[in-house]
């Protein structure tokens, strides 16, 4: 592994831990009791961590970092693709405005992850 790959892996680990804490906090409460069961909190934490790892893996693969430093044209193209994924997440966030905070953010993250996977497929087909 190169130094860049090791740094990227370390960044991915830290980012997934941060988003796991966020997912742990966003878990919705049970309507009957008003409390959040621990199993649900850990489920949301794991889901957020997995989505973070998938997103960072998609970015790694679409930039083709396994082969070394990407060209500036590739970075620009992937940057535009990531902005499109952010736009897809924003649309999902707006469309689910009537839902609770936790489910709204989970669907927003899911749409961003789906858009990132599509970006990888497009990047591999184009190159």
């Amino acid at each position: 592994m190169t130094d860049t790959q090791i740094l990227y892996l370390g960044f991915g680990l830290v980012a997934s831990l941060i988003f796991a804490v966020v997912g742990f906090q966003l878990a919705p409460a049970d309507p009957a009791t008003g409390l959040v069961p621990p199993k649900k909190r850990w489920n949301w934490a794991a889901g957020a961590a997995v989505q973070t790892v998938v997103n960072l893996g998609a970015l790694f693969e679409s930039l083709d970092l396994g082969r070394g430093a990407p060209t500036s044209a590739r970075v620009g193209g992937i940057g535009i693709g990531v902005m499109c994924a952010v736009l897809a997440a924003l649309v999902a966030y707006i469309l689910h405005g009537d839902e609770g905070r936790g489910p709204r953010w989970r669907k927003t993250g899911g749409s961003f992850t789906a858009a990132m996977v599509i970006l990888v497929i497009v990047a591999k087909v184009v190159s």
Side-chain angles (χ1 to χ4, degrees):
M1 290 183 85
T2 65
D3 290 340
T4 305
Q5 292 171 333
I6 292 170
L7 289 172
Y8 197 85
L9 184 64
F11 172 74
L13 178 65
V14 170
S16 65
L17 289 174
I18 289 170
F19 280 105
V21 170
V22 170
F24 191 81
Q25 296 298 321
L26 283 176
D30 186 18
T33 63
L35 301 172
V36 182
K39 184 177 180 182
K40 185 182 271 189
R41 281 194 187 266
W42 286 111
N43 183 7
W44 278 65
V50 166
Q51 281 186 343
T52 303
V53 169
V54 169
N55 290 332
L56 290 173
L59 187 61
F60 184 90
E61 188 61 31
S62 61
L63 285 173
D64 214 7
L65 291 176
R67 294 188 193 167
T71 64
S72 58
R74 187 165 187 89
V75 170
I78 298 303
I80 291 171
V82 171
M83 295 307 259
C84 290
V86 169
L87 179 64
L90 180 63
V91 168
Y93 182 81
I94 292 169
L95 288 176
H96 296 285
D98 58 338
E99 296 181 16
R101 180 185 67 174
R104 185 179 189 185
W105 278 107
R106 181 169 252 189
K107 290 176 183 170
T108 301
S111 65
F112 181 79
T113 301
M116 287 296 289
V117 169
I118 291 170
L119 174 65
V120 170
I121 292 169
V122 169
K124 288 298 175 181
V125 167
V126 169
S127 63

